[in-house]
Amino acid sequence: MGTVLTYNVATTWDSNPDSIGTMVSSGFTLDISSPAGLGGPGVGTNPEELLLAAAAGCYLITLRTILDNRGIQYTQIDMSSRGFVDNDHGLRFDRIEHHPLIVLESVSDEAQVRKYALHAVHACMVSTAIRGNVSVTVEPQVKVQTTTA
């Protein structure tokens, strides 16, 4: 059996439903509450944003690793992600859309980079964990960095 990585998060919340909770891990301390759209105070972050952030962060790290391992020279990757929660017959996280913009240092195989961007969602641990419950799609854009003389 391979190495098992363990991650820990500690949370606290008092008995007041309108209060704000706290979430602590080795890399962050966050205020958490129910979103205002669901009747909560909307302070800090919420589980929906955390799931979206986990999916986006995992995808971005996976994409960067794939590009680095393939020797693709890029200057930066910018990405926006959107999460959609369906409130039909109960709340359900329906889908996530990632929109990466990969800026290449020079003209290369842009089609191959798009292929890597589409593949990264299948190699991402978070996307794999939610597969079958939440649809995750990728709409990549690739452009070559322009230089001004």
Side-chain angles (χ1 to χ4, degrees):
M1 182 173 172
T3 302
V4 174
L5 303 174
T6 303
Y7 300 92
N8 299 299
V9 174
T11 57
T12 59
W13 201 295
D14 67 30
S15 63
N16 179 353
D18 294 326
S19 67
I20 299 163
T22 303
M23 180 177 288
V24 180
S25 184
S26 62
F28 62 82
T29 298
L30 300 172
D31 288 335
I32 58 172
S33 71
S34 297
L38 296 177
V43 176
T45 191
N46 57 64
E48 297 79 10
E49 289 175 340
L50 291 170
L51 179 60
L52 180 60
C58 184
Y59 172 81
L60 189 59
I61 290 168
T62 302
L63 175 58
R64 179 208 47 91
T65 301
I66 290 170
L67 295 177
D68 289 350
N69 289 343
R70 305 296 187 290
I72 303 296
Q73 300 296 310
Y74 61 93
T75 58
Q76 121 181 18
I77 304 170
D78 292 321
M79 188 172 79
S80 64
S81 296
R82 294 178 64 189
F84 298 85
V85 174
D86 185 2
N87 194 4
D88 186 29
H89 307 297
L91 292 172
R92 184 179 69 81
F93 211 108
D94 182 59
R95 70 188 187 280
I96 293 173
E97 298 174 352
H98 297 309
H99 301 272
L101 170 61
I102 305 155
V103 182
L104 302 175
E105 287 185 5
S106 61
V107 176
S108 63
D109 191 350
E110 292 178 37
Q112 189 66 36
V113 172
R114 278 189 187 82
K115 180 180 168 185
Y116 294 149
L118 294 171
H119 172 71
V121 75
H122 300 289
C124 165
M125 180 176 58
V126 173
S127 295
T128 299
I130 62 176
R131 188 170 295 130
N133 294 307
V134 178
S135 170
V136 182
T137 60
V138 178
E139 297 178 20
Q141 289 184 305
V142 180
K143 75 176 192 176
V144 178
Q145 178 178 326
T146 57
T147 58
T148 56

